[in-house]
Amino acid sequence: MARYICIEGNIGSGKTTLAKALSKKLNTRLVLEEFEGNAFLEKFNKNPKRYAFPVEMTFLAERYKQLSEILSKPEDMFQRDIIADYSISKSLLFAKNNLDLQEFVLYKDLFEILNTKLRKPDLIIFLDRSIGSTLENIKKRGRPYEMNIDEEYLMDIKERYKQLLINDKTANLLVLNAENYDFIDKPKDLDILIEEINTFTGNRIT
């Protein structure tokens, strides 16, 4: 069976950049999160309390729809590896950070129903990057709806990732210090990561 690999990390950590580079190098099926179609995203970044629930529900629905369609196709599952720049688990992570308790309880019930229907990743690559570096990347790419993201919010998300992924002993997790790699200008760094993937036997931090 083809491998299913997800790239995870904070906002601005370089997930999409790495997913594209890996997919091109390994000739895999590439899955990119279609977040720009979320009509509530810009409103949420301006007024998080009011728009948290609709933005998270929309993300969950869109992620589930995209992944279920791709992962259910035999021609993709058995012929080529799949590399995605997100995993469905990030839905629960952001919801826990953004929703109040009652909203989160409702959200989690729906998430668990949908999550059981999806194939679990064979490997999650987590890009660990400093808050300062992620803020620089966010400003550099210049997405208008991200301009209100502050350091405190990014620190909260980073801690959520630590709780959800790094402390999950059942996950096949490869943690990379992203600031030690340059996957665009240093091709050897990508080769090193591919070797790590091909020899992966259990949770690892590099």
Side-chain angles (χ1 to χ4, degrees):
M1 180 180 292
R3 292 176 298 185
Y4 168 34
I5 300 171
C6 295
I7 315 296
E8 272 297 358
N10 210 337
I11 302 167
S13 61
K15 299 181 294 294
T16 302
T17 297
L18 176 56
K20 288 179 177 179
L22 268 179
S23 179
K24 182 177 180 180
K25 183 78 171 182
L26 298 175
N27 189 30
T28 72
R29 174 73 184 270
L30 177 64
V31 181
L32 301 179
E33 184 174 12
E34 299 171 350
F35 56 87
E36 293 184 351
N38 191 324
F40 296 100
L41 184 56
E42 186 172 357
K43 295 177 181 179
F44 166 75
N45 284 325
K46 293 180 180 178
N47 191 341
K49 186 174 181 180
R50 180 176 179 183
Y51 292 102
F53 192 72
V55 81
E56 294 304 337
M57 288 297 293
T58 301
F59 271 133
L60 178 60
E62 291 177 344
R63 289 164 183 156
Y64 175 76
K65 183 176 184 294
Q66 184 183 39
L67 290 176
S68 61
E69 288 177 351
I70 291 170
L71 295 174
S72 64
K73 294 179 180 178
E75 65 270 21
D76 294 323
M77 293 291 289
F78 293 97
Q79 292 183 13
R80 289 200 295 167
D81 289 349
I82 298 171
I83 293 179
D85 69 347
Y86 72 99
S87 71
I88 196 69
S89 296
K90 77 178 297 181
S91 299
L92 193 63
L93 180 149
F94 277 86
K96 190 171 185 179
N97 191 73
N98 297 332
L99 302 180
D100 65 33
L101 181 58
Q102 288 183 324
E103 290 174 333
F104 180 70
V105 169
L106 175 60
Y107 182 96
K108 187 178 179 182
D109 286 343
L110 179 58
F111 171 85
E112 290 178 349
I113 292 171
L114 297 179
N115 189 41
T116 59
K117 299 178 183 296
L118 291 176
R119 177 185 167 187
K120 300 297 183 288
D122 299 300
L123 174 64
I124 296 176
I125 300 174
F126 179 76
L127 299 179
D128 190 16
R129 189 181 289 275
S130 71
I131 300 301
S133 180
T134 56
L135 278 171
E136 286 181 13
N137 287 344
I138 290 169
K139 291 178 181 178
K140 187 183 300 182
R141 66 191 183 191
R143 295 170 181 167
Y145 48 83
E146 292 182 340
M147 291 301 98
N148 291 326
I149 296 176
D150 59 23
E151 182 175 338
E152 183 178 356
Y153 183 78
L154 292 173
M155 289 179 66
D156 287 343
I157 295 301
K158 185 172 184 176
E159 182 60 28
R160 297 292 185 192
Y161 267 116
K162 181 179 179 180
Q163 295 172 6
L164 181 67
L165 294 178
I166 298 178
N167 292 337
D168 181 1
K169 304 305 180 184
T170 66
N172 290 320
L173 184 66
L174 175 59
V175 180
L176 298 182
N177 184 339
E179 292 171 63
N180 292 338
Y181 295 84
D182 184 345
F183 298 116
I184 300 301
D185 296 325
K186 296 182 179 179
K188 287 186 177 180
D189 285 358
L190 191 62
D191 292 335
I192 291 171
L193 176 56
I194 291 172
E195 180 65 20
E196 291 279 355
I197 293 171
N198 290 333
T199 59
F200 182 83
T201 58
N203 291 353
R204 190 183 308 165
I205 299 176
T206 67

